[in-house]
Amino acid sequence: MTTPKRLYADDTEMYRLFEKELFVAVVGDVMDTLGLRHQFLPPVFKPVDGETRLLGRAMPVLESDIFPSDQPTRNPLMTKPFGLMFEALDDLKPGEIYVASGASPRYALWGELMSTRAKILGAHGALVDGFVRDTDGIKALDFPCFCTGYYAQDQGVRGKVVDYRCALEIGGVRIETGTLLFGDKEGVLVIPRQAEEEVVRLALEKARGEKLVAEAIRGGLSAVEAYRTFGIM
């Protein structure tokens, strides 16, 4: 059995294919055909700027609510402002996406200054299971940021980062360090590493096939005939 030729040599080449030819809907469709039918994050996730897309590898960050008191603590992390948030932010690598979850919706998990630092480090975006603030500043930076809403209340006295580069689940979808994420205003996909190459190959085939279908329909072919001929709609 012949091994299929690789479509790309590295992430840079893969990202170029995504940017040039792929969109979230077509990738989601082929993942369905592969049995990966629960890889979309919940539809509450939206980009701060509807024109931006999310594409890169996850750097998961675990958040936790805190409730400060005068009582002594057994956890030294509780006395550290923001917990490990600054360490997590500074640990971002080029092409990574800061992915935060674990907090309640009482405060913002991301803002303009964090976006500024992440962009300097070469990160490809942020995805937070919660709120962001400083949205005008984030848009001005042209930094991809996806969230569930906007809220200016600060994290400082309400939450901390307690771990990073750890596995997370968002809406029942598992995200690990290095997991490929692809999103736009119509949804965010989590693409398991073991399926990446096949997903990209099939998505390219389908995207290119859809162009032929569109041309045929514009030429007068019915929807029934188009699907019968191409198996795509």
Side-chain angles (χ1 to χ4, degrees):
M1 183 175 179
T2 304
T3 302
K5 182 181 178 181
R6 290 205 66 185
L7 295 169
Y8 49 87
D10 53 26
D11 280 0
T12 300
E13 289 187 8
M14 179 180 66
Y15 295 155
R16 196 173 296 125
L17 289 171
F18 271 88
E19 294 292 349
K20 184 180 179 181
E21 299 193 58
L22 298 181
F23 49 97
V24 168
V26 75
V27 176
D29 288 352
V30 302
M31 290 176 73
D32 279 348
T33 67
L34 294 172
L36 300 170
R37 298 175 181 172
H38 304 284
Q39 299 302 130
F40 267 103
L41 294 185
V44 292
F45 287 92
K46 299 295 180 184
V48 169
D49 182 344
E51 299 306 310
T52 60
R53 301 207 305 175
L54 193 70
L55 177 61
R57 296 199 178 276
M59 198 283 275
V61 176
L62 182 61
E63 292 271 355
S64 178
D65 289 357
I66 60 168
F67 304 92
S69 73
D70 295 330
Q71 300 298 313
T73 177
R74 295 172 178 81
N75 183 353
L77 193 61
M78 297 300 288
T79 63
K80 184 178 174 62
F82 297 95
L84 298 173
M85 188 179 79
F86 302 129
E87 287 83 351
L89 181 61
D90 284 340
D91 197 51
L92 279 167
K93 305 295 189 294
E96 288 190 327
I97 296 168
Y98 185 103
V99 181
S101 187
S104 66
R106 297 193 300 135
Y107 47 87
L109 300 175
W110 191 263
E112 180 181 1
L113 291 178
M114 295 179 76
S115 297
T116 302
R117 176 59 175 154
K119 187 169 184 176
I120 288 171
L121 292 171
H124 277 197
L127 183 146
V128 298
D129 189 8
F131 298 136
V132 305
R133 64 182 196 172
D134 311 322
T135 54
D136 289 342
I138 294 171
K139 287 180 183 179
L141 287 167
D142 193 27
F143 184 76
C145 180
F146 283 59
C147 62
T148 63
Y150 314 138
Y151 190 34
Q153 185 149 266
D154 188 38
Q155 178 172 188
V157 297
R158 300 175 181 89
K160 294 182 185 293
V161 170
V162 295
D163 202 2
Y164 59 97
R165 297 197 179 277
C166 53
L168 299 176
E169 285 192 8
I170 299 178
V173 184
R174 187 174 178 86
I175 301 174
E176 299 178 344
T177 301
T179 298
L180 185 64
L181 304 178
F182 183 40
D184 62 19
K185 61 187 175 184
E186 295 184 353
V188 179
L189 277 169
V190 179
I191 306 173
R193 188 181 286 274
Q194 67 272 18
E196 273 179 26
E197 290 194 38
E198 190 171 14
V199 167
V200 173
R201 178 177 60 81
L202 293 177
L204 286 169
E205 290 177 4
K206 189 172 194 295
R208 293 164 183 171
E210 286 187 358
K211 291 182 179 179
L212 297 177
V213 173
E215 290 177 9
I217 291 174
R218 285 193 293 267
L221 200 66
S222 72
V224 170
E225 285 299 322
Y227 188 75
R228 184 178 295 149
T229 302
F230 298 98
I232 297 172
M233 181 58 67

